[in-house]
Amino acid sequence: MPLWLIVLIKSAILLFIVVTSFAYAMLAERKVMGWMQLRPGPNRVGPWGLMQPAADAAKLILKEDLAPRTADPLLYRLAPFVSLLTAFSVYAIIPFDVTSAGTWSIGNVNAGVLFLLAITSLGVYGISLGGWASGSKFPLLGSVRSTAQMISYELGMGLALAGVLLVAGTTSLDGIVSAQRDLWFFIPQFVAFVVYVVTAIAETNRVPFDLVEAETELVAGFHTEYSGLRFGLFFIAEYVNMLTVSCIASLLFFGGWNAPFGWTWLPGIVWFLLKVAAFMFFYIWLRATLPRFRYDRLMAFGWKVLLPIATLNVVVTAVVIALKG
Amino acid sequence: MSAIFWVPAIVLVASAVWTVTASKPVYSVVALLLNFVALAVLFLTLSAEFLAMIQLIVYSGAILVLFLFVIALLSSGVAPLSLGPNRLPRIVAPAAICVAVALGLVLAGVATSHGIPAPPRAAYANAGSAGMPGVFGSVGDFGKALFTTYLLPFEVTALILMVAVIGTIVLAGDETPYVASRRRAEQNRKAMREAIAREGD
Amino acid sequence: MAMHKRLYNVGAILKGLSITLRFMFARKPTVQYPSVRKQHAPRFHGLHELRRYDDGKERCIGCELCSSACPANAITVIGAENAPGDRKSPGERYAARYEIDELRCIFCGMCEEACPTDAIVLTPRFEMSDFRRGSFIYAKDRLLVPADGGVGTPPDERPGGIPADLGGVAGKKSTLDVGSGYDATYNGSLLKTQRKGLTG
Ligand code: SF4
Ligand code: SF4
């Protein structure tokens, strides 16, 4: 088979998996949040509400796609696709398992972690352009906030990942995972792990850092004006980003497809997906627990707490590695 | 030269033109973003993996976002900028043409000269995929070169950027209005307390 | 700084997380409403009903006391003299038109208290959603217990909880088969209710 055909087939399979897991991540979120708030969660469509995502999708597709008269015609329509594109293209390089047949990923980039950072850093454009192009004040405020928030926390995230790169000695994702065969990196790089988890929540605009949406003050933030399918695209992008940061967390800190305690009776990909699911659960759990940050505290936390900690972590890690030889 | 060069190259030039001709500033930012991405793709075709990623992370992901931040705040209406008087002095036009010609000549010279060695294509063609350690353009090589051969320029650049940051702080002032007003309020309160103490209730 | 002290309060965050986790496995008080129905309090205030006497005559004598007692101005009564050959009620007068705007009603039960003949009572029925505002103006055709529907039960005589038939009216007429001829009355009465509301 020609290379492009293989890549195409792999992409189609992965796209299907990611979209399905998005749909059920959303359902899981509503269910788990419901349970934590002493409700049963959606349970009307299909058994245990399992068809709820399909119903949601149908609703979003059938809804009217409105654009305010003051909106910028081109960018308003483009922005959701920017979000979606950046959210999905990360999966081009995420490896799921390594077997004798090779790495289970679409493409294997050696500068994998850098590619991840590069693509996720482009994700902010969807939000900021969408907010600006809506031509009304709440989306604009939401998008300006998101821009400031995302570039602030990106620094901390990059530095947290730098610690891992130093320990692993490589930037390729499967290299990092195979470097964790004996010891998962969340132990030697615990500080980086904590910083990463916090910044990842901020990067995906989730509670308690969801100031981008902040219903209480900004109506719905950057997607106030969006409706129907275009809103759905932003929605998908948010959940896919959640999945992405969960994947990165389990690849970089929790040994990816390495089985814990040598329990290899489950295939590596199952372990990997279990870890990702655990992180997703943690996200939902946080959302059901914590209130939203105030904006100035968010910024102060990012710049005055997380960034120095992450920098210190990189310096200490580098010194230790240099001393070890 | 194949499509992998020509497509990004054409996008690169077209988006550069769009950047300077767009009537809405936000469109300029979008065009510039396209430009940066196309440039990153071109870096990739030169197997400069690290440079391509840094191009995206630093320029598109950080610097251009700041541009967008400021522009979106300042031009929150979506009306295109009205054309003001052209503030460029006439004399600049010939100068610009001269610079363009000079740049063109430099490019032509580079393209035709044999002084600059071609990228060691053979080396990485044998060593497997691009970007492996020891291969041209890889992260490791880039870092080594940056911190050994080019350490001085690197540190000097860092220093220059630092100067810019310090300059900004000096220009903007390190006291927020809030702090200043609080200090004033504190002074007023102190003066009042002293006055009361002097008067003896 | 105070702010940092609060930010670093990881203990509080962990406590919060433990609470939500505990709640996740706790028993849910939710009642799966349409399929499972909760027992109401016996004197639950729901949709109104106009009762009859045992002989089938209407209890309402068109005295408009309920209408003046209503704090929400929801009731419109237009009384008329009973025709000698065809008596609607045992009294001199009866309600020629009796309308309650259930969207204005606050289900306080004052009408019930005011009525001298125990004609208007509040049943425990509460499911009266509809897509049209107009259909919330309940006229006699939906308020009055049907002639073959018994007399209706005032709350004091209910054995407890929802009666098995959900009240006499419910068994006969659903809110959806409002029927034709209804809209003609509601336009006029809506205007009247509003005028009344304005002039006090
Ligand atoms: S229940 Fe109260 S508000 Fe409703 S009609 Fe009777 S008196 Fe009026
Ligand atoms: S329902 Fe009772 S209070 Fe109201 S008009 Fe009839 S008899 Fe009078």
Side-chain angles (χ1 to χ4, degrees), chain B residues 157-167:
Chain B
T157 317
L159 213 63
I160 291 173
L161 288 177
M162 194 65 172
V163 168
V165 172
I166 293 171

Side-chain angles (χ1 to χ4, degrees), chain A residues 70 72 109 125 128 132 144 147, chain B residues 24 27 60 64-65 68 75 78:
Chain A
T70 47
D72 184 285
V109 187
Y125 283 101
S128 54
W132 177 83
V144 164
T147 316
Chain B
K24 293 182 187 176
Y27 276 63
S60 327
L64 199 58
V65 174
L68 187 60
S75 68
V78 283

Side-chain angles (χ1 to χ4, degrees), chain A:
Chain A
M1 266 198 286
L3 184 65
W4 63 267
L5 195 61
I6 296 177
V7 168
L8 208 65
I9 294 172
K10 277 180 172 175
S11 309
I13 295 173
L14 202 64
L15 197 67
F16 176 76
I17 294 175
V18 170
V19 169
T20 322
S21 31
F22 144 70
Y24 283 94
M26 193 182 71
L27 179 66
E29 165 148 44
R30 292 175 62 182
K31 275 283 196 194
V32 170
M33 291 248 312
W35 291 333
M36 288 180 173
Q37 294 163 354
L38 293 177
R39 299 181 283 118
N43 60 357
R44 292 281 132 195
V45 195
W48 304 290
L50 280 180
M51 293 311 288
Q52 185 68 40
D56 284 344
K59 183 196 85 173
L60 283 178
I61 291 168
L62 293 177
K63 271 202 166 180
E64 190 180 359
D65 179 23
L66 292 167
R69 209 176 322 129
T70 47
D72 184 285
L74 177 64
L75 292 183
Y76 182 78
R77 289 180 170 75
L78 199 67
F81 292 99
V82 175
S83 270
L84 200 70
L85 189 74
T86 49
F88 275 120
S89 41
V90 173
Y91 287 86
I93 61 146
I94 286 189
F96 287 84
D97 197 357
V98 169
T99 56
S100 50
T103 311
W104 289 25
S105 64
I106 295 181
N108 197 358
V109 187
N110 278 296
V113 175
L114 296 177
F115 183 83
L116 282 179
L117 280 176
I119 297 295
T120 47
S121 71
L122 293 184
V124 66
Y125 283 101
I127 292 175
S128 54
L129 286 178
W132 177 83
S134 295
S136 67
K137 44 187 172 298
F138 293 120
L140 181 74
L141 288 173
S143 74
V144 164
R145 275 184 180 186
S146 93
T147 316
Q149 172 183 338
M150 287 175 93
I151 50 181
S152 308
Y153 278 73
E154 215 167 72
L155 288 172
M157 185 189 234
L159 283 172
L161 296 188
V164 175
L165 298 189
L166 282 175
V167 178
T170 171
T171 52
S172 93
L173 285 168
D174 51 351
I176 291 174
V177 172
S178 49
Q180 301 179 64
R181 195 159 292 142
D182 304 319
L183 183 63
W184 293 358
F185 282 161
F186 83 98
I187 297 170
Q189 285 292 312
F190 187 72
V191 179
F193 172 63
V194 172
V195 172
Y196 174 79
V197 167
V198 175
T199 52
I201 299 167
E203 282 286 294
T204 46
N205 298 318
R206 297 276 307 175
V207 177
F209 302 114
D210 65 334
L211 284 120
V212 178
E213 295 183 26
E215 305 90 352
T216 39
E217 52 214 271
L218 291 186
V219 188
F222 71 99
H223 56 55
T224 302
E225 303 291 353
Y226 282 90
S227 60
L229 203 52
R230 271 173 230 284
F231 166 75
L233 295 184
F234 274 128
F235 203 57
I236 296 176
E238 181 187 326
Y239 277 83
V240 172
N241 280 332
M242 261 169 80
L243 275 175
T244 309
V245 290
S246 304
C247 284
I248 300 175
S250 50
L251 283 175
L252 263 57
F253 293 100
F254 275 79
W257 49 85
N258 288 327
F261 316 116
W263 290 350
T264 41
W265 38 267
L266 273 180
I269 184 160
V270 176
W271 281 118
F272 177 63
L273 294 180
L274 278 179
K275 288 167 189 172
V276 172
F279 273 103
M280 294 294 284
F281 174 76
F282 181 65
Y283 266 102
I284 298 167
W285 189 11
L286 271 186
R287 179 169 174 197
T289 306
L290 294 183
R292 186 176 296 126
F293 263 59
R294 208 173 69 196
Y295 188 65
D296 58 331
R297 291 192 176 168
L298 170 96
M299 283 315 222
F301 187 54
W303 286 101
K304 295 184 188 163
V305 181
L306 288 181
L307 192 60
I309 290 179
T311 316
L312 207 64
N313 178 58
V314 170
V315 171
V316 170
T317 312
V319 168
V320 168
I321 287 177
L323 287 184
K324 268 180 158 175

Side-chain angles (χ1 to χ4, degrees), chain C residues 45-46 48 66 69-75 100-102 104-112 120 122:
Chain C
H45 283 169
H48 302 77
C66 51
C70 176
N73 257 336
I75 308 183
I100 299 184
D101 185 345
E102 300 289 354
R104 292 191 69 118
C105 175
I106 56 171
F107 301 98
C108 61
M110 299 292 249
C111 44
E112 201 177 74
I120 188 84
L122 290 142

Side-chain angles (χ1 to χ4, degrees), chain B residues 75-91:
Chain B
S75 68
S76 54
V78 283
L81 287 188
S82 56
L83 285 175
N86 192 348
R87 289 199 219 92
L88 222 57
R90 295 271 141 137
I91 188 76

